[in-house]
Amino acid sequence: MSKIWTRNNQQIKEECLSMTPIISIILTSYNKPNTIGKAIESVLDQTYQNWELFIMDDNSNEETVKIIKQYINKPRIYYFNSNIQDSERYKTTRYATLINEAIPKTRGKYLTYLTDDNSFLPSRFKSMLKVLNQNPSIEIVYSQQLVKTINEYGIVEQEKVRKTYGVLKNPVGWVDHCSIMHTRYLAERIFNEFGSYWNDDQAYWYNGDAAFWSRLTKYKPFHPIPEILDIAIKDDKSFQRLYTHLPKCIPNGTLVRGPSSETYIIENQVRRKISKEVFTKLKYDPSMVVKIPDPFLYKYKEGTPVDSQVFINFLLFPNQRLVKAHNNPAVYYLQNKYKHLIKNEKTFSDFNFSWDKIISTHEHLLAQLPDGLPIEELSESTPILPDGTLFKHENYYISLKNCLHPIEKQVAMKLKLPVTNPVKMDHSLLSKFKTGEPFEWEILF
Ligand code: UDP
Ligand code: MG
């Protein structure tokens, strides 16, 4: 990459050495009203006080902003709101974008990062500065972290210590976002070489810190401070937890929910909000709802809601449902706006359909949908596979539009597909159908 940035390393070094305050903290925030106050307080409570704090809020809800506002008139605290639109949220790794916006505003000789679900111990700055100031050749320090996992009721379920492992040339996977401090000089060198500080490509949502660590270690290793200096809280809304094993593209027919209480169905790659009363009428099961992070929910445009209208206009009825008319035993499976007759009881059990999921409705409503090919017993001559069914032949596959898409077991589990009870198929059936794009979970690094 060409170095088009104008200041040379010597000039940057001189600027950096003359800087006050000494430590700039970049706190990224998004909708964590229960912990953001503690994060801010943990900076105020430091035994070393020559710092400045940049609160970079990513357009949080009112509850969160209200808490932040209690602190923004204090000296050395600066507050910025990104005003990001939800529909734009998934496009970059947001915390990396916020950090990149913050760094040019900061003045500290050292930079350190805090997230809204973490808090520093009071001695953190003092301990880190001691090592950095006494050893000019050390430009990055990292410390131990206490990780508290809490359940949905706020009770601590597990406590673990992320240890230090000596001097690290490859800290990826070992060191958290909130456990390091480094010189501004290194950040500026990175900017000179890469044209940005943190890599905010959306591919790094899961581990943007690791992407930055690999830039940092091109210049200097990470030096350990074997003391716990920060506490991380992982709850059921934690991005890491919600994102783990989520494929890039969510299969049609999946029920999803962001951290708010609304439930959606993904259909034709748009999200349709399902009203509470219709959720029950459509025989959806709350245990089938996949919790996903906000930025990933908003990636899907909002489509026509699934509300009481679907019982008036059947063309709005969601796919992948079993329906029958009152007083008529014929059962249909809906897919792609067609109704497919399920041939017989054997077919029904071959595909693991369940009787208690059949929705009974008026004959005239059902008549609004055209007939598709019937779904027949599972054999080599089966003309059509029901969408959203989990199959297994050595590996797992999910059927969509008569294609079998390979799906990793953990991805299938994440999507609440019945991995312990898939439809078993043999090689000849597998080879009869086209194989589609796989559903995979991919992390870089
Ligand atoms: N974040 C953000 N915008 C978003 C989602 C998250 O700025 O749309 C920030 C969040 O405030 C936090 C960081 O990204 O500072 C990491 O998110 P989180 O703590 O949920 O993830 P985890 O702890 O699981 O890595
Ligand atoms: Mg976090």
Side-chain angles (χ1 to χ4, degrees):
M1 188 179 292
S2 65
K3 294 182 185 177
I4 50 166
W5 317 96
T6 47
R7 284 133 71 230
N8 68 35
N9 285 343
Q10 190 52 38
Q11 282 168 313
I12 295 167
K13 194 163 200 166
E14 280 160 21
E15 271 172 44
C16 294
L17 284 174
S18 62
M19 281 182 146
T20 68
I22 297 294
I23 299 172
S24 298
I25 307 109
I26 301 171
L27 162 58
T28 45
S29 149
Y30 178 60
N31 287 357
K32 296 260 170 81
N34 296 334
T35 46
I36 182 75
K38 181 139 200 260
I40 300 171
E41 299 272 350
S42 81
V43 175
L44 292 167
D45 290 346
Q46 288 294 309
T47 54
Y48 178 86
Q49 282 284 315
N50 192 4
W51 50 256
E52 57 174 3
L53 168 63
F54 284 78
I55 305 175
M56 306 301 290
D57 185 60
D58 210 17
N59 213 2
S60 289
N61 54 28
E62 247 178 69
E63 207 187 342
T64 306
V65 174
K66 213 169 132 193
I67 295 166
I68 296 174
K69 292 241 160 115
Q70 295 170 13
Y71 298 96
I72 58 177
N73 293 323
K74 290 193 186 292
R76 296 172 288 124
I77 294 188
Y78 306 95
Y79 164 69
F80 295 89
N81 190 326
S82 68
N83 290 317
I84 182 90
Q85 294 304 302
D86 284 337
S87 56
E88 302 289 298
R89 211 174 267 290
Y90 74 93
K91 292 187 176 166
T92 64
T93 295
R94 289 299 307 160
Y95 51 92
T97 304
L98 295 179
I99 289 169
N100 285 342
E101 281 168 16
I103 294 178
K105 304 182 202 298
T106 61
R107 294 172 302 146
K109 180 176 172 190
Y110 299 113
L111 301 178
T112 195
Y113 309 98
L114 179 58
T115 57
D116 45 1
D117 50 3
N118 188 294
S119 57
F120 292 156
L121 292 183
S123 59
R124 185 176 184 275
F125 294 173
K126 198 170 179 187
S127 298
M128 289 186 157
L129 271 189
K130 197 169 154 204
V131 178
L132 289 164
N133 284 340
Q134 284 176 2
N135 308 279
S137 68
I138 296 179
E139 295 211 45
I140 309 166
V141 289
Y142 76 105
S143 54
Q144 300 189 347
Q145 179 181 63
L146 178 64
V147 185
K148 291 188 182 181
T149 306
I150 61 172
N151 65 19
E152 57 193 305
Y153 310 106
I155 312 275
V156 179
E157 269 181 348
Q158 196 193 44
E159 285 197 356
K160 253 185 8 199
V161 176
R162 239 181 213 265
K163 295 210 179 85
T164 46
Y165 298 95
V167 177
L168 290 178
K169 286 198 174 130
N170 182 9
V172 167
W174 300 107
V175 182
D176 184 64
H177 190 117
C178 300
S179 304
I180 87 154
M181 188 180 287
H182 63 84
T183 60
R184 161 183 297 274
Y185 176 59
L186 278 187
E188 298 301 350
R189 286 183 77 178
I190 286 175
F191 190 87
N192 267 1
E193 181 161 350
F194 295 91
S196 65
Y197 300 103
W198 284 50
N199 187 340
D200 72 351
D201 189 305
Q202 56 163 303
Y204 300 107
W205 252 112
Y206 188 73
N207 52 0
D209 47 6
F212 185 62
W213 299 172
S214 78
R215 286 184 173 184
L216 278 174
T217 45
K218 282 192 76 179
Y219 304 96
K220 290 278 177 165
F222 281 40
H223 277 261
I225 300 180
E227 291 169 53
I228 295 175
L229 294 178
D230 73 272
I231 303 172
I233 304 285
K234 297 278 163 213
D235 64 9
D236 57 345
K237 294 190 184 71
S238 140
F239 186 87
Q240 296 250 343
R241 250 206 227 179
L242 297 178
Y243 184 66
T244 305
H245 301 140
L246 196 65
K248 240 191 242 150
C249 163
I250 297 176
N252 289 333
T254 308
L255 298 176
V256 294
R257 180 186 300 159
S260 79
S261 58
E262 305 294 355
T263 302
Y264 300 84
I265 181 162
I266 302 293
E267 280 214 307
N268 296 320
Q269 296 298 293
V270 302
R271 64 185 156 107
R272 300 181 62 195
K273 192 187 280 180
I274 310 180
S275 75
K276 286 205 173 68
E277 60 149 331
V278 169
F279 187 90
T280 321
K281 279 195 185 156
L282 292 175
K283 311 235 165 154
Y284 287 126
D285 181 345
S287 68
M288 299 298 290
V289 180
V290 183
K291 289 194 189 147
I292 66 172
D294 264 5
F296 284 76
L297 176 68
Y298 297 135
K299 191 162 138 175
Y300 295 89
K301 287 208 177 71
E302 195 155 359
T304 321
V306 179
D307 54 20
S308 50
Q309 284 295 310
V310 306
F311 290 101
I312 297 166
N313 179 358
F314 229 59
L315 292 169
L316 298 177
F317 212 85
N319 290 306
Q320 301 188 23
R321 296 282 80 199
L322 290 167
V323 286
K324 70 180 276 300
H326 306 311
N327 309 323
N328 188 336
V331 179
Y332 297 86
Y333 190 64
L334 305 189
Q335 65 190 40
N336 291 322
K337 304 290 169 213
Y338 283 88
K339 60 179 193 298
H340 299 264
L341 179 71
I342 299 180
K343 256 301 181 45
N344 50 31
E345 274 192 37
K346 170 85 170 47
T347 310
F348 205 84
S349 66
D350 278 358
F351 290 107
N352 290 345
F353 285 124
S354 50
W355 297 103
D356 58 3
K357 294 284 178 209
I358 302 170
I359 303 155
S360 187
T361 189
H362 299 288
E363 187 96 53
H364 71 272
L365 280 176
L366 213 50
Q368 291 175 4
L369 289 184
D371 284 299
L373 286 174
I375 297 176
E376 295 178 5
E377 287 173 35
L378 186 59
S379 75
E380 270 173 61
S381 52
T382 294
I384 185 168
L385 298 173
D387 275 356
T389 307
L390 188 69
F391 290 87
K392 189 175 181 192
H393 171 69
E394 288 165 8
N395 298 312
Y396 288 96
Y397 297 84
I398 179 173
S399 53
L400 289 166
K401 297 200 174 146
N402 246 10
C403 250
L404 288 165
H405 299 257
I407 185 165
E408 287 168 14
K409 184 176 181 189
Q410 281 167 318
V411 172
M413 282 166 72
K414 171 81 182 184
L415 298 177
K416 312 279 178 103
L417 293 165
V419 287
T420 52
N421 188 27
V423 176
K424 303 238 169 48
M425 65 175 171
D426 56 18
H427 180 75
S428 57
L429 189 77
L430 176 62
S431 54
K432 181 181 179 288
F433 288 93
K434 262 201 281 179
T435 315
E437 283 286 303
F439 289 98
E440 303 169 311
W441 187 58
E442 201 187 343
I443 54 160
L444 303 170
F445 291 106

